[in-house]
Structures are given as structure tokens and as C-alpha cells.
Amino acid sequence: MIKLENVDKWYGSYHALVAVTETVRSGEVVVICGPSGSGKSTLIRTVNGLDNIDRGSISLNGQAVHAKQTNLNALRAQVGFVFQQFNLFPHMTVLNNLLLAPTTLRKMSRKEAEAHAHGLLGKVGLGHKANVFPGTLSGGQQQRVAIARALMMRPKVMLFDEPTSALDPEMVGGVLQVMKGLAKEGMTMMCVTHEMGFAREVADRVIFMDAGEILERASPHAFFSSPQHPRAKRFLQDVAAH
Ligand code: ADP
């Protein structure tokens, strides 16, 4: 579903992604972990073209993401992206936040979009919040709305960039629960997260990055019980110490 081949990216003289090659199969859940500044966010942002690349190639469901002729809006309709900050429109109700993309970008009728939106809000446990404004919701609820919004276009892939990092601790569980549900349904997911419990329980594969490179890829069991790379060992020791 997602294929990165020899991807390099620089921010000025800083080498942010170093020869990254990776394949994510359809239905696979991959958790990307690593120290702050290691390039995790940059990596998933390149997958839907939010960040450009300087070398190599990325394809999504067979389409070259960074090719000149690619229609990025059409491609992004196949990819749901959930950010650390939820970026909901504060002046629109929850329902209208969900309706915006499908009724403007794609020709989904309002009736169909509304039915889909109500279904998704129910799925994230917010069926009763369709007509409120985002500002009246907790951070965790807003993030669940953001996930529902990302699902409106019936994406083939969901990308998560630290979706729980901005939340109060008691809000994290509800968001992870929704992500777990998606994984169970067979959604292809790439998740940047510090939630190692989620990685252990839900991921098919864990990728460890440091300084722009993928240094280790392993099953969660192998990664957490016997990390191979010294930097992965140190990272897990630091996580455990906290
Ligand atoms: P992570 O998600 O692992 O914390 P990022 O992908 O956000 O790491 O960042 C990787 C490195 O690239 C960091 O050193 C960061 O400072 C740098 N970086 C990220 N975005 C930019 C940018 N827009 N301009 C310059 N440097 C950036």
C-alpha cells in the first residue's frame, strides 16, 4: 500500500531522512518510534505529500506521491491524516467539520455525507455531539472528531502524527481505543506515537528511527524484548526510566 524507496530529505543542510526504504502492506499497522527530532513526523508527512522529498520515491496504492503529474488533492482523499493538534474549524459544528471535505472536494451528496458522518461520530463515541462547536469538547473528544473527519473520505490509509501527545493523560485511552478499533477493522495505518503500550498491543511491526534513519524494524515482541541496535536499546531504557 505504501512504498518508500531510498528517500532522502534535507532541511537546508540538515539531512532529515537518510536513504529510507520501507514497505507497508495493506491492512498492516506500523508504529514509528524514536527520539524527538529523529525524523518520524517528517517521514509520515512525506507519505501524503505534506513534505516534499529530495531523492528517491514514494508510492501510495501504486501512485507516485511526488511525481509532477500527481493530483495531490485526489491522492490525499485516499489518506486520512491525524495531527497532534486537531485543527478543527472552531466556527463550525462538529457535523459541519466532518461534511466540509466530502461535500466540497468530492461529489458526495449532503445526504450521503451526513449519514456517513453520523455513523462515524457514533463509532468514535460522539454520536450525541454532532451539533456542538469543537470548543465545547475536551481535547480527547476533539481528537476523536478529528479521526472521524479523517475517515469521512473513506481513506485506504490512515497516518497518525503523535495523536495523543497534546492530550491530558486521562484523555489518551479513548483516542487509542478508537485507533485500536480501526486497526481491528483492517485499516492500513502508520502511527508516530510515544504510546509504547499501543505499539506492543496493536502494531504488526515497529520501526525505530534515529537521526533520519530507520535503524530497526521488528515485531513488537522482538523489539520490546530484545532490541538489536544499541540506540534502540538506549531509547527503550530511557522510555522505561520515565
Ligand atoms: P520527530 O518527529 O522524530 O520529532 P521531525 O521529523 O519533526 O522529528 O524533525 C526531524 C528534524 O528535522 C529535527 O531536527 C527538526 O528540527 C528538523 N525539522 C523538522 N521540520 C523542519 C522544518 N520545517 N525546517 C527545518 N528543520 C525542520
Side-chain angles (χ1 to χ4, degrees):
M1 184 61 83
I2 301 166
K3 195 166 189 173
L4 298 102
E5 283 179 292
N6 269 313
V7 172
D8 283 276
K9 176 173 178 63
W10 281 265
Y11 289 115
S13 60
Y14 183 75
H15 203 171
L17 294 178
V18 182
V20 172
T21 294
E22 187 56 59
T23 302
V24 179
R25 295 188 314 274
S26 179
E28 197 175 23
V29 177
V30 173
V31 164
I32 304 163
C33 65
S36 180
S38 57
K40 307 179 297 295
S41 175
T42 301
L43 177 68
I44 63 162
R45 290 170 61 87
T46 62
V47 170
N48 75 340
L50 281 174
D51 272 347
N52 63 1
I53 60 175
D54 296 300
R55 209 152 61 192
S57 65
I58 301 178
S59 66
L60 200 148
N61 201 19
Q63 276 179 284
V65 176
H66 298 271
K68 277 200 185 76
Q69 67 274 20
T70 297
N71 177 343
L72 267 183
N73 279 339
L75 184 125
R76 285 185 190 141
Q78 302 176 46
V79 187
F81 202 107
V82 177
F83 300 85
Q84 184 175 336
Q85 300 299 339
F86 337 116
N87 305 321
L88 298 172
F89 288 108
H91 60 289
M92 286 183 179
T93 63
V94 162
L95 180 65
N96 283 333
N97 266 278
L98 265 65
L99 296 181
L100 189 64
T103 53
T104 52
L105 294 183
R106 190 198 257 186
K107 291 171 200 96
M108 199 186 281
S109 73
R110 187 165 175 102
K111 200 172 161 205
E112 182 194 353
E114 274 190 17
H116 190 38
H118 285 296
L120 288 173
L121 286 174
K123 189 165 150 165
V124 302
L126 295 170
H128 56 304
K129 296 289 187 185
N131 296 316
V132 307
F133 288 93
T136 66
L137 300 175
S138 71
Q141 289 173 326
Q142 289 189 53
Q143 189 61 299
R144 286 187 274 143
V145 171
I147 294 174
R149 179 181 58 177
L151 290 168
M152 278 300 290
M153 303 292 276
R154 298 191 171 91
K156 296 189 168 66
V157 171
M158 286 286 285
L159 305 175
F160 293 87
D161 190 2
E162 298 199 22
T164 59
S165 297
L167 300 178
D168 290 334
E170 72 272 23
M171 301 291 166
V172 170
V175 171
L176 294 179
Q177 203 58 42
V178 169
M179 292 170 66
K180 215 180 286 181
L182 279 177
K184 270 204 189 117
E185 288 172 11
M187 178 63 81
T188 307
M189 295 166 56
M190 280 180 95
C191 314
V192 174
T193 180
H194 298 294
E195 293 294 334
M196 294 297 109
F198 175 83
R200 215 183 265 271
E201 198 184 330
V202 182
D204 296 305
R205 213 143 51 82
V206 176
I207 287 174
F208 173 76
M209 287 185 78
D210 196 11
E213 279 185 274
I214 295 181
L215 296 183
E216 189 157 337
R217 24 170 90 71
S219 70
H221 178 74
F223 182 71
F224 291 109
S225 59
S226 55
Q228 299 298 302
H229 198 285
R231 279 189 265 172
K233 284 183 193 170
R234 199 166 42 186
F235 171 76
L236 286 173
Q237 280 162 4
D238 289 347
V239 168
H242 285 91

